[in-house]
């Protein structure tokens, strides 16, 4: 109970060296691969899920946008596996760090934006000034649209960080309450423990949904610029 509430969000170290890079590189090792002509059920299910997700995200894109399919599929797999591994006890979740989420969001947003300015500069500039805008409002609308454009990667990163962090804090608080009540009132402990199990199931869903939302928004930014 005296443990720091935010201790689980501190980047771990090994012999005084930061271990964040090793943790980030660990999830891809859990993705199974097959060297055989006939795959087992796990590989088949994995490939079906990847094809389903890729088809849903890439349907609205043209040929140029579909060149990002491998990157977007890799992104959603990485975020999902990182979020799920972070639910394990005494583990560290890199996606709770705003700096890491910004490091993912800014390059992808900037790449989509640069592609839009290179291929469709007129359409890209048209977003700053909606058609039919009264002349006195033009300067204000240009400023507002510019701010809304620049804030997109920050919104991506903050959304992912806030949702994952809030879930971890809630699980930590309810887990601490369960441990404290175990020596006081057994029926109350069972009720709180049931809530903790339900919350864990919810957090598994949130981990997958947030990975999908992050990737889908990047895909929408790409669609607007291709």
């Amino acid at each position: 109970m005296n443990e720091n509430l935010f201790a689980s969000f501190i980047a771990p170290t090994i012999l005084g060296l930061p271990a964040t890079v090793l943790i980030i590189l660990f999830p891809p090792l859990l993705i199974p691969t097959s060297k055989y002509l006939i795959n087992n059920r796990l590989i088949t299910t994995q490939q079906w899920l990847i094809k389903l997700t890729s088809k849903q995200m890439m349907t609205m894109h043209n040929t140029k946008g579909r060149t990002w399919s491998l990157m977007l599929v890799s992104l959603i797999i990485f975020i999902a596996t990182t979020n799920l591994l972070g639910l394990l006890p005494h583990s560290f979740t890199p996606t709770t760090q705003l700096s890491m989420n910004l490091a993912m969001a800014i390059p992808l947003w900037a790449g989509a934006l640069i592609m839009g300015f290179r291929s469709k500069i007129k359409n890209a500039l048209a977003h700053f000034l909606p058609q039919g805008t009264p002349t006195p409002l033009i300067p204000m609308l240009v400023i507002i649209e510019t701010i809304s454009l620049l804030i997109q990667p920050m919104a991506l990163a903050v959304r992912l960080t806030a949702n994952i962090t809030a879930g971890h804090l809630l699980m930590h608080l309810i887990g601490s309450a369960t441990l404290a009540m175990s020596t006081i009132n057994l029926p109350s402990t069972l009720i709180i423990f049931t809530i903790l199990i339900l919350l864990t199931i919810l957090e598994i869903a949130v981990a997958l949904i947030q990975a999908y939302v992050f990737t889908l928004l990047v895909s929408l930014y790409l669609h607007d610029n291709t």
Side-chain angles (χ1 to χ4, degrees):
M1 292 296 293
N2 294 327
E3 182 183 358
N4 185 2
L5 188 61
F6 296 93
S8 59
F9 303 111
I10 300 175
T13 58
I14 299 177
L15 299 177
L17 300 176
T20 308
V21 176
L22 297 177
I23 296 173
I24 292 174
L25 295 177
F26 180 68
L29 300 178
L30 301 179
I31 305 299
T33 57
S34 176
K35 300 179 181 178
Y36 302 102
L37 182 62
I38 301 177
N39 297 326
N40 56 29
R41 294 180 182 178
L42 179 61
I43 300 293
T44 303
T45 304
Q46 172 188 305
Q47 292 178 347
W48 175 76
L49 288 173
I50 290 175
K51 289 180 181 178
L52 181 65
T53 306
S54 177
K55 181 179 179 181
Q56 186 169 358
M57 287 192 299
M58 293 292 111
T59 302
M60 59 182 174
H61 290 281
N62 55 20
T63 305
K64 183 177 292 185
R66 290 177 182 175
T67 57
W68 283 48
S69 58
L70 181 60
M71 182 183 298
L72 293 179
V73 170
S74 302
L75 178 66
I76 190 172
I77 292 175
F78 171 74
I79 297 177
T81 52
T82 303
N83 290 346
L84 291 175
L85 287 174
L87 295 175
L88 297 175
H90 304 288
S91 60
F92 172 73
T93 312
T95 47
T96 57
Q97 306 296 312
L98 183 60
S99 57
M100 176 181 166
N101 295 335
L102 283 173
M104 291 191 296
I106 291 177
L108 294 170
W109 168 82
L113 193 64
I114 292 172
M115 181 179 292
F117 277 102
R118 289 184 59 185
S119 60
K120 301 190 305 181
I121 186 169
K122 290 184 179 180
N123 293 336
L125 293 176
H127 289 296
F128 292 94
L129 188 62
Q131 187 177 5
T133 304
T135 304
L137 296 179
I138 289 178
M140 183 181 297
L141 280 181
V142 170
I143 295 174
I144 293 174
E145 291 297 328
T146 303
I147 294 175
S148 66
L149 179 66
L150 296 177
I151 208 173
Q152 286 178 350
M154 179 64 72
L156 270 179
V158 170
R159 181 185 294 106
L160 179 59
T161 303
N163 281 281
I164 301 301
T165 303
H168 282 62
L169 287 175
L170 193 56
M171 290 179 63
H172 179 84
L173 291 173
I174 295 180
S176 300
T178 304
L179 185 61
M181 292 294 294
S182 61
T183 58
I184 301 174
N185 192 330
L186 185 58
S188 300
T189 303
L190 294 177
I191 295 175
I192 299 176
F193 184 69
T194 304
I195 295 175
L196 180 60
I197 293 176
L198 295 176
L199 180 62
T200 303
I201 297 174
L202 177 63
E203 282 304 309
I204 293 174
V206 169
L208 298 175
I209 291 172
Q210 287 304 314
Y212 178 74
V213 169
F214 188 97
T215 310
L216 181 63
L217 288 175
V218 173
S219 178
L220 290 176
Y221 297 157
L222 177 65
H223 175 66
D224 292 337
N225 290 279
T226 54

